[in-house]
Tab-separated table of all heavy atoms in Angstrom:
chain	number	residue	atom	x	y	z
A	1517	ARG	N	28.558	-23.587	20.693
A	1517	ARG	CA	29.417	-24.803	20.755
A	1517	ARG	C	30.767	-24.573	20.115
A	1517	ARG	O	31.798	-25.105	20.533
A	1517	ARG	CB	28.724	-25.992	20.003
A	1517	ARG	CG	29.589	-27.139	19.812
A	1517	ARG	CD	28.882	-28.208	18.996
A	1517	ARG	NE	29.782	-29.308	18.774
A	1517	ARG	CZ	29.544	-30.309	18.009
A	1517	ARG	NH1	28.446	-30.410	17.405
A	1517	ARG	NH2	30.430	-31.279	17.867
A	1522	SER	N	36.058	-26.643	19.861
A	1522	SER	CA	36.268	-27.883	20.598
A	1522	SER	C	36.656	-29.095	19.732
A	1522	SER	O	36.716	-30.186	20.212
A	1522	SER	CB	35.024	-28.225	21.376
A	1522	SER	OG	33.896	-28.309	20.540
A	1523	GLY	N	36.889	-28.873	18.452
A	1523	GLY	CA	37.059	-29.980	17.439
A	1523	GLY	C	37.976	-31.106	17.802
A	1523	GLY	O	37.553	-32.260	17.940
A	1524	ALA	N	39.284	-30.856	17.940
A	1524	ALA	CA	40.250	-31.951	18.086
A	1524	ALA	C	40.062	-32.728	19.374
A	1524	ALA	O	40.067	-33.949	19.374
A	1524	ALA	CB	41.692	-31.363	18.092
A	1525	ALA	N	39.803	-32.100	20.493
A	1525	ALA	CA	39.614	-32.764	21.781
A	1525	ALA	C	38.344	-33.626	21.707
A	1525	ALA	O	38.355	-34.762	22.252
A	1525	ALA	CB	39.571	-31.770	22.903
A	1526	VAL	N	37.273	-33.084	21.133
A	1526	VAL	CA	36.035	-33.855	21.075
A	1526	VAL	C	36.237	-35.090	20.167
A	1526	VAL	O	35.790	-36.175	20.498
A	1526	VAL	CB	34.884	-32.985	20.556
A	1526	VAL	CG1	33.644	-33.813	20.265
A	1526	VAL	CG2	34.564	-31.903	21.536
A	1527	ARG	N	36.882	-34.916	19.027
A	1527	ARG	CA	37.128	-36.028	18.125
A	1527	ARG	C	37.922	-37.169	18.828
A	1527	ARG	O	37.627	-38.313	18.649
A	1527	ARG	CB	37.842	-35.578	16.888
A	1527	ARG	CG	36.921	-34.875	15.891
A	1527	ARG	CD	37.601	-34.641	14.559
A	1527	ARG	NE	38.755	-33.818	14.601
A	1527	ARG	CZ	38.775	-32.531	14.609
A	1527	ARG	NH1	37.556	-31.844	14.502
A	1527	ARG	NH2	39.875	-31.794	14.652
A	1528	LYS	N	38.881	-36.759	19.631
A	1528	LYS	CA	39.699	-37.734	20.294
A	1528	LYS	C	38.835	-38.550	21.358
A	1528	LYS	O	38.927	-39.807	21.376
A	1528	LYS	CB	40.821	-37.039	21.061
A	1528	LYS	CG	41.799	-37.968	21.787
A	1528	LYS	CD	42.947	-37.182	22.444
A	1528	LYS	CE	43.914	-38.036	23.162
A	1528	LYS	NZ	44.992	-37.307	23.793
A	1529	VAL	N	37.961	-37.876	22.079
A	1529	VAL	CA	37.110	-38.589	23.046
A	1529	VAL	C	36.080	-39.415	22.313
A	1529	VAL	O	35.824	-40.538	22.710
A	1529	VAL	CB	36.420	-37.554	23.979
A	1529	VAL	CG1	35.342	-38.230	24.822
A	1529	VAL	CG2	37.457	-36.852	24.870
A	1530	GLU	N	35.539	-38.914	21.181
A	1530	GLU	CA	34.587	-39.656	20.422
A	1530	GLU	C	35.193	-40.925	19.819
A	1530	GLU	O	34.528	-41.961	19.764
A	1530	GLU	CB	33.895	-38.828	19.395
A	1530	GLU	CG	32.931	-37.818	19.978
A	1530	GLU	CD	32.291	-36.910	19.005
A	1530	GLU	OE1	32.842	-36.761	17.821
A	1530	GLU	OE2	31.255	-36.253	19.376
A	1531	LYS	N	36.464	-40.891	19.438
A	1531	LYS	CA	37.132	-42.071	18.939
A	1531	LYS	C	37.220	-43.106	20.051
A	1531	LYS	O	36.940	-44.326	19.815
A	1531	LYS	CB	38.543	-41.698	18.459
A	1531	LYS	CG	39.328	-42.900	17.868
A	1531	LYS	CD	40.661	-42.478	17.394
A	1531	LYS	CE	41.425	-43.695	16.906
A	1531	LYS	NZ	42.753	-43.345	16.432
A	1532	LYS	N	37.557	-42.686	21.256
A	1532	LYS	CA	37.642	-43.631	22.407
A	1532	LYS	C	36.277	-44.227	22.629
A	1532	LYS	O	36.165	-45.407	22.947
A	1532	LYS	CB	38.208	-42.932	23.654
A	1532	LYS	CG	39.657	-42.568	23.543
A	1532	LYS	CD	40.068	-41.860	24.792
A	1532	LYS	CE	41.550	-41.423	24.752
A	1532	LYS	NZ	41.975	-40.751	25.936
A	1533	LEU	N	35.185	-43.387	22.568
A	1533	LEU	CA	33.868	-43.927	22.817
A	1533	LEU	C	33.468	-44.926	21.735
A	1533	LEU	O	32.828	-45.911	22.058
A	1533	LEU	CB	32.843	-42.731	22.844
A	1533	LEU	CG	32.788	-41.983	24.148
A	1533	LEU	CD1	32.026	-40.671	23.953
A	1533	LEU	CD2	32.208	-42.833	25.242
A	1534	ARG	N	33.879	-44.731	20.488
A	1534	ARG	CA	33.605	-45.709	19.486
A	1534	ARG	C	34.289	-47.065	19.757
A	1534	ARG	O	33.701	-48.134	19.564
A	1534	ARG	CB	33.948	-45.178	18.101
A	1534	ARG	CG	33.013	-44.173	17.495
A	1534	ARG	CD	33.247	-43.842	16.060
A	1534	ARG	NE	34.607	-43.369	15.799
A	1534	ARG	CZ	34.979	-42.108	15.911
A	1534	ARG	NH1	34.129	-41.192	16.262
A	1534	ARG	NH2	36.239	-41.737	15.617
A	1566	GLU	N	33.067	-36.369	29.780
A	1566	GLU	CA	34.155	-35.485	29.237
A	1566	GLU	C	33.703	-34.898	27.894
A	1566	GLU	O	33.894	-33.721	27.624
A	1566	GLU	CB	35.463	-36.281	29.078
A	1566	GLU	CG	36.579	-35.470	28.531
A	1566	GLU	CD	37.874	-36.293	28.359
A	1566	GLU	OE1	37.882	-37.461	28.752
A	1566	GLU	OE2	38.802	-35.724	27.829
A	1567	ARG	N	33.065	-35.721	27.042
A	1567	ARG	CA	32.609	-35.231	25.768
A	1567	ARG	C	31.601	-34.135	25.928
A	1567	ARG	O	31.651	-33.110	25.295
A	1567	ARG	CB	32.049	-36.381	24.915
A	1567	ARG	CG	31.511	-35.897	23.564
A	1567	ARG	CD	30.853	-36.974	22.766
A	1567	ARG	NE	29.659	-37.489	23.529
A	1567	ARG	CZ	28.973	-38.507	23.116
A	1567	ARG	NH1	29.316	-39.200	22.070
A	1567	ARG	NH2	27.923	-38.887	23.808
A	1570	LEU	N	33.303	-30.949	26.986
A	1570	LEU	CA	34.027	-30.278	25.922
A	1570	LEU	C	33.036	-29.618	24.942
A	1570	LEU	O	33.321	-28.490	24.468
A	1570	LEU	CB	34.835	-31.331	25.155
A	1570	LEU	CG	36.092	-31.847	25.813
A	1570	LEU	CD1	36.651	-33.053	25.122
A	1570	LEU	CD2	37.129	-30.755	25.957
A	1571	LEU	N	31.930	-30.311	24.653
A	1571	LEU	CA	30.971	-29.701	23.770
A	1571	LEU	C	30.309	-28.426	24.403
A	1571	LEU	O	30.017	-27.477	23.741
A	1571	LEU	CB	29.878	-30.710	23.414
A	1571	LEU	CG	30.275	-31.834	22.522
A	1571	LEU	CD1	29.177	-32.864	22.361
A	1571	LEU	CD2	30.730	-31.317	21.164
A	1574	GLY	N	33.664	-25.933	25.208
A	1574	GLY	CA	34.647	-25.662	24.120
A	1574	GLY	C	36.035	-25.857	24.630
A	1574	GLY	O	36.312	-25.688	25.865
A	1575	SER	N	36.946	-26.173	23.787
A	1575	SER	CA	38.354	-26.326	24.164
A	1575	SER	C	39.187	-25.676	23.032
A	1575	SER	O	38.754	-25.609	21.941
A	1575	SER	CB	38.728	-27.793	24.311
A	1575	SER	OG	38.663	-28.466	23.134
Side-chain angles (χ1 to χ4, degrees):
R1517 169 183 177 188
S1522 58
V1526 172
R1527 283 190 299 276
K1528 184 176 178 181
V1529 172
E1530 286 178 342
K1531 181 179 179 182
K1532 289 179 182 179
L1533 280 167
R1534 284 191 301 275
E1566 181 181 355
R1567 179 184 61 187
L1570 286 169
L1571 290 174
S1575 65

